[in-house]
Amino acid sequence: QKEVEQNSGPLSVPEGAIASLNCTYSDRGSQSFFWYRQYSGKSPELIMFIYSNGDKEDGRFTAQLNKASQYVSLLIRDSQPSDSATYLCAVHAGNMLTFGGGTRLMVKP
Amino acid sequence: KAGVTQTPRYLIKTRGQQVTLSCSPISGHRSVSWYQQTPGQGLQFLFEYFSETQRNKGNFPGRFSGRQFSNSRSEMNVSTLELGDSALYLCASSFGSSTTTDTQYFGPGTRLTVL
């Protein structure tokens, strides 16, 4: 069974700090990896995706992928209270997207 | 470009009834995936439709079914509702290609409450 694992949190960081969110996956055939943000009571919204080993930056967000270790992470620089949400890691393999349980991030002013 | 739309947004049903939810994908998207989200189980995949055919299916009982129309709009049906079916039902659309960058975009969801 394909699994995607995330620490449920909550991960608490002070405003302005770097938040680091981690995700591991079991299927070595996974091709691409997505990070979604979900505010309470809302639907998930795409932050970014990555499919090559290494780092990918988009504004304050950096996704990191290590396929050998089956590990993907999301760094949020200069965290703001508005970043407080649940972050979902999703892994794409064989036309299917499998989601982790999400990590709840709390950014304290 | 308009986003994914879902109707209705909220629904209250009683046990034993059936319900139909609707999803209209982003223009040009041919794939529609359905998910169930509950606090305890997280986001769970129900099924995916591409070009009017079910292409993938998750581990849900046969009470959960779906279909897709020629305009890519999709409906999901749940028969003989149970209390445990209370959840947020999300649909997501994408182009449905096999490329690694095929990205799913979510609709606002339908909040189903079963009494």
Side-chain angles (χ1 to χ4, degrees):
Chain A
Q1 183 172 344
K2 301 172 185 176
E3 293 184 349
V4 180
E5 300 288 341
Q6 295 181 257
N7 188 316
S8 61
L11 172 66
S12 182
V13 300
E15 184 175 356
I18 296 175
S20 178
L21 305 163
N22 305 314
C23 173
T24 59
Y25 59 95
S26 63
D27 184 2
R28 286 194 173 274
S30 300
Q31 301 159 319
S32 50
F33 309 84
F34 299 80
W35 284 99
Y36 288 84
R37 176 176 62 197
Q38 186 174 26
Y39 292 110
S40 180
K42 301 294 185 182
S43 63
E45 55 179 328
L46 179 72
I47 297 174
M48 62 191 303
F49 64 85
I50 185 169
Y51 56 88
S52 298
N53 275 328
D55 295 0
K56 179 182 179 183
E57 188 175 315
D58 184 358
R60 295 187 296 113
F61 299 96
T62 298
Q64 299 176 316
L65 175 60
N66 184 325
K67 289 187 178 181
S69 301
Q70 296 176 244
Y71 177 93
V72 58
S73 64
L74 180 71
L75 302 179
I76 307 174
R77 289 182 300 281
D78 188 25
S79 295
Q80 300 298 309
S82 59
D83 294 326
S84 297
T86 296
Y87 289 79
L88 299 167
C89 169
V91 175
H92 188 271
N95 287 320
M96 283 184 59
L97 205 56
T98 302
F99 283 82
T103 298
R104 189 158 72 95
L105 173 66
M106 297 173 57
V107 181
K108 297 189 173 181
Chain B
K1 190 184 268 191
V4 180
T5 60
Q6 291 186 247
T7 57
R9 294 292 311 279
Y10 302 92
L11 208 49
I12 299 176
K13 292 285 188 179
T14 56
R15 280 180 297 173
Q17 288 187 308
Q18 74 166 22
V19 66
T20 299
L21 312 181
S22 180
C23 173
S24 291
I26 291 170
S27 178
H29 284 187
R30 296 168 64 191
S31 169
V32 173
S33 297
W34 287 90
Y35 297 87
Q36 181 195 66
Q37 188 173 38
T38 60
Q41 298 296 318
L43 203 60
Q44 292 190 289
F45 173 73
L46 282 155
F47 30 66
E48 183 227 0
Y49 284 85
F50 178 78
S51 292
E52 301 180 66
T53 301
Q54 187 180 87
R55 189 162 65 172
N56 288 294
K57 188 177 187 305
N59 294 323
F60 277 81
R63 298 185 298 107
F64 293 82
S65 63
R67 60 176 174 169
Q68 187 178 35
F69 302 96
S70 59
N71 61 358
S72 294
R73 189 178 70 85
S74 177
E75 287 182 347
M76 189 193 104
N77 185 274
V78 188
S79 62
T80 320
L81 284 166
E82 301 177 358
L83 294 178
D85 296 334
S86 294
L88 179 66
Y89 289 88
L90 293 158
C91 83
S93 78
S94 72
F95 287 110
S97 68
S98 59
T99 63
T100 56
T101 57
D102 191 53
T103 302
Q104 293 189 12
Y105 296 90
F106 283 85
T110 295
R111 174 75 62 184
L112 172 65
T113 302
V114 182
L115 302 176

